Every structure is written in C-alpha cells, then in structure tokens.
Amino acid sequence: MAALKYAGLDDTDSEDELPPGWEERSTKDGWVYYANHEEMKTQWEHPKTGKRRRVAGDLPYGWEQETDDKGQIFYVDHINKRTTYFDPRLAFTVEEVEKPNNKQRYDGNTSALEILQGRDLSGKVIVVTGANSGIGYETAKSFALHGAHVILACRNSTRATEAVSSITAEWHKAKVEAMTLDLASLHSVKEFTEAFKAKNLPLQILVCNAAVFAQPWKLTEDGLESTFQVCHLGHFYLVQGLQDVLRRSAPARVVVVSSESHRFTDLVDSTGKVDLALLSPPKKYYWSMLAYNRAKLCNILFSLELNRRLSPHGITCNTLHPGNMMYTSLHRSWWLMTLLFNFARPFTKSMQQGAATTVYCAVADELEGLGGMYFNNCFRCLPSQEAQSETTAASLWQLSERLIQERVGRQSL
C-alpha cells in the first residue's frame, strides 16, 4: 500500500514505499507503527529506513493541557483527578525517538521473566484465572518467582494443585496457592469471590486469562453457550464480585487476555445493540471459531467500559493479544486444530513469551493510572473499530448485567 502522509513529517520519509505485506498505521496518540500481515507482527520502526515517527494527535480521553504561572505546560487528568508535567502521549514510546537505531524496550521475543527482571513484587496479591497450564501458568509462575502472593483460580483443582507444586519446586519460598473457579458456572464464580474475601487479602492485580477455544456447542448450567460464558460473562461476574476488594486495594489493575481474532467479527444487530443471539446462538447457527472471535471482542469492549467506570476509583484495565497460534491446551478439543498448531509450533512464541504482554500490562510503571487500551508485543496498538466503540461497550455491559440478574439475582451485582 502507499504510505500515508502525516502532518509534521517531511515528504521524503512519508512517501517511502513499504515492502509487500506491510501496512502503516497510527495510534490515537500520534505514534506511527507498522503491521506485517504475512508474519502477523507489528513494530515501531519503518521496515526499510528503521526510523520511528510521530504525528500530532489529541490527548487521551479525559486529559487537558494547561500552562502554569511559570509558563510550563502541564497536563490534567480529569478522570483520575491528577496533574503531571509528563505528556501522556509519550507513555508508550522509547525515550529518544530521534535515534532510529534504538530498539524498543520489549518486543515479541521478550519473556515474562525478562519483563520482571529486578522487580520485587512482595506484598502484591495477584489472581490469575486459568493458571494451571499454558500462558496462565507462566504468568502466575513469573509473578510468584518475584515475590507476589499468587492465587491460581482454576476449574480443575487437581491440575491447579500440581501447578502449585511445580512452582514451589522451582522456588521453595514462592507464595502460591490454588482456588477452585469454574467460569462456566456463575454459582462457582460467586463461591470463589466469597472464599477470596474470607481471606481478608488485598487484590492489586487480577488477570482474566482463562478461555476455551474451538469447543463443540454446549450450554452451561446457566443456559448460555460455553465459549461466551467462560471467556466473557464468567470474568464479568468475577470482576463484579471482587470490585470492592479492588477498590480498597487501589491502585489496582485488571488485565484481560484477548486475541487478534477479535478483528474478524461484530456483535451488534441492525439497531446497533449487542445481540445475545450472536453471542449465545442455538446449535444450528453455532460455529466454534466465530464464537471465539466474538468472545475475544467482548473481552476488549468489557475492558474499555470497566476502565471507564472504575478508573476514577484507582482501578485501571487494559487488554492484550498474547501471540498467534501458540501451543496451549486451548485447541485440544479438535484434532484438526491440534494438527495445525503442531505444524505451527516451531514458528510461534514460547509460553514465556506469550505471557510477557500480560505481565507488562500488570506491572509496567509507565502504565500506572492508564487504562482502556489494547497491547500486542508489549506495546500499545489499535484494536478493531468495533472494539473502540464506547456505545457497543456500554451495550455489552448492560446485556451482561441483565444476564447475571436473571440467573443469580440483582443482589449479586
């Protein structure tokens, strides 16, 4: 494609032709990045010139630029009621963008343990759902090996206990425990939140990691399609149940693991409202891949609306894509997917690399107080247009509340 021209850039740079398969994009806050559709990756540097570029852009939602009595520019965050002399648009870039040979701090090859190198998470309490295997396990282990008190919230208590033993075998001082949580059961979610509250612990980080993929059509005990409930509604109810603990623990973060698959679907009907028939369809209209895509779109919309509602209370939420076609347990319900993932395995991220962006969103200092964003390979990028819709996010929230009220009662929200 022809490169786009942006204000403030010289014509020579803006007209550099991109290699085949590359596309130039820009973030809302003015930074240009490049997407390689063949290799399914993104980067800040122009693939030919190696230059990083910036364009003029609006401040993030809720921010305003002002000048103090000394003539210095400062920024007001009206949502979180704070001021800073640091331009929030610069939070996700390298320190010296004029030096094209500088590489970004992290990328798709970075591991979760590299993100945490030198960090002491002692005193932090972290809950990770779906943490007995795959990316969730590596996420939980990485936190635990750096001093955090980590709770593995898992459906299978036997596997969760084995995961705890594996982590403590690696470091005997690791403070890690397992608790039962079945996101396919709203009753189980409620039991988990009540059991967690009984521990009288704070909760600084909640990682909504658990998911199912390529599942045959199945209704949960709550009468909803299982992919939708496990990936979205169960986590929605979990956050509602832990919201008061998160508030008391502020500053706190919620991290939601989504996927680039969210780009290949939508959720709304002809009236612009989120359609439950799309999210929880009857068996004859069900396609497992589409169900997964829709659930992953729900993740980003949920994160957007959650951040809007809770950021004034010191709770921020971001979402992320961990990586493409990684060999986790998600695909094992369908032999064809297992074959495909086995073939792709040598070319994809390791589980440690897949956990890196989750860990980055959970602990990065530069993200303190900032949320409502989507990350890939440890840096911010734009999700689909539908995923940026505040109207759709609000509609999904209202539908999610209604579904829970109908099943467990208004007092549970």
Side-chain angles (χ1 to χ4, degrees), residues 357-387:
T357 306
T358 300
V359 170
Y360 174 78
C361 289
V363 304
D365 291 334
E366 59 266 34
L367 298 185
E368 189 63 54
L370 299 173
M373 296 172 290
Y374 176 69
F375 290 81
N376 187 359
N377 291 333
C378 299
F379 67 87
R380 184 185 181 187
C381 61
L382 288 180
S384 68
Q385 284 296 118
E386 184 71 11

Side-chain angles (χ1 to χ4, degrees), residues 28 42 80 91 152 178 282 299 326 344-345 366 371 396 401:
K28 283 185 177 178
T42 57
N80 296 298
L152 282 60
N299 290 154
M326 288 180 292
R345 192 173 186 177
E366 59 266 34
L396 175 63
E401 282 188 329

Side-chain angles (χ1 to χ4, degrees), residues 325 327 331 335-348:
M325 297 187 69
Y327 194 84
H331 58 82
W335 69 268
L336 182 60
M337 279 294 173
T338 299
L339 181 65
L340 182 60
F341 276 65
N342 265 308
F343 178 77
R345 192 173 186 177
F347 312 103
T348 60

